[in-house]
Amino acid sequence: MPVPEPGPGEVLLKVGGAGACHSDLHLLEVPAGARSFTLPFTLGHENAGWVETMGPGATGFEPGDPVIVYGPWGCGLCMNCRQGIENYCQTPGKPSPGGLGGTDGGMAEYLLVPSTRYLIPLGSLDPREAAPLTDAGLTSYHAVKRSVHLLGPGSTAVVIGAGGLGQMAIQVLKALSSATTVVAIDTSADKLKIANTMGADEELVSGDDAVKQIKDMTHGQGAEVVLDFVGINPTLTMAAQVSRMLGHLTIVGLGNAALPVNFNSPAKECSVASPFWGSIPELIDVIALAQAGKIKMLVEHFPLDSAAEAYRLLHDGKIAGRAVITPND
Ligand code: NAD
Ligand code: ZN
Ligand code: ZN
């Protein structure tokens, strides 16, 4: 791709790392007629790197500064955007994240970032390692944040799907509430082993047995917080079965199945939400957590030429943590 020229207020980023997210696999499956982008299109919505050049009028950063890029680009002017909640921009058609529909993403040597407000300084963190913090990290952080008040001593949080996002969620749960028992559920024994190294207290194979064990652990009550990072029928069913009265059930995975909600299921007054990404202030929190050594992504690097291979491995469940494409290595 030609190197883009930053216009007024824009920034040209030299890409250090661009994470391969499972959402990209969902995007690749969208039928041609329903696409929100035109081909050729560059993927990569989980980006970090170094400031290359500042467009006319853009200030506050110097060439060479290591930065991470906030992904859901909103209008910047609506009530939500002005609070940094650009993931819930109120302007129709927004947010339009680069690499996820709309403009090109970060799986290229250079990425055009529309505004300096999307750049968060990384300090001593390496962009190649840090890139997943801006989606896997931020999305998980935001999903956990809505439930922190439920995570007191003796509480239980269930993480379904211990892949890129789930592994981050386990660490965030432990960082924000060390008193919470974190239960990881996955179909893969390898992922469950990794979940343990990330701080999970219990690792369970996905299915009916997991439901029974969580019920036993919680004296029949269920878990205060259930986070589903898959979102298919079997996982939503499990999530509802282990939900607790007055608890939270949070659907993050884009498996696109529907959760039946009626008087008896999920548990009474359990609130269900489907959050999308996170806010700019939350990304600043996530970077602070990483700088403090409280959260760290398990990263595998791939040169740009091997990006397709990275997606193949992700599709087959063979990426241990997160695949990160490094276009300038
Ligand atoms: P990933 O491929 O890294 O991880 C998915 C994990 O789920 C894997 O470990 C896999 O073994 C596990 N899994 C699959 N089927 C399962 C089952 N039946 N029971 C238990 N575990 C199962 O994917 P990721 O990048 O972490 O993304 C996870 C999901 O979150 C995707 O659907 C992605 O599109 C979505 N996502 C949502 C947002 C958002 O803002 N809501 C943001 C990013 C990603
Ligand atoms: Zn993503
Ligand atoms: Zn807006």
Side-chain angles (χ1 to χ4, degrees), residues 85-160:
I85 312 171
E86 297 209 19
N87 49 321
Y88 297 141
C89 175
Q90 293 153 282
T91 298
K94 301 252 175 189
S96 61
L100 207 54
T103 54
D104 280 328
M107 293 194 184
E109 283 85 352
Y110 295 94
L111 169 71
L112 206 51
V113 180
S115 168
T116 51
R117 71 178 184 278
Y118 300 137
L119 302 181
I120 310 297
L122 276 174
S124 58
L125 298 176
D126 178 348
R128 282 166 288 227
E129 302 288 332
L133 294 171
T134 193
D135 179 14
L138 175 57
T139 303
S140 302
Y141 182 78
H142 177 71
V144 170
K145 246 335 215 359
R146 95 176 187 99
S147 307
V148 266
H149 60 290
L150 298 177
L151 298 172
S155 63
T156 302
V158 174
V159 172
I160 303 175

Side-chain angles (χ1 to χ4, degrees), residues 7 38 177 219:
T38 49
S177 173
H219 312 288

Side-chain angles (χ1 to χ4, degrees), residues 22-23 26 135 163-165 186 191 206 229 252 254 275 277 322:
H22 204 113
S23 297
H26 298 307
D135 179 14
L165 269 70
D186 206 291
K191 293 289 169 73
S206 197
F229 290 100
V252 183
L254 306 185
W277 226 323
R322 201 66 152 178

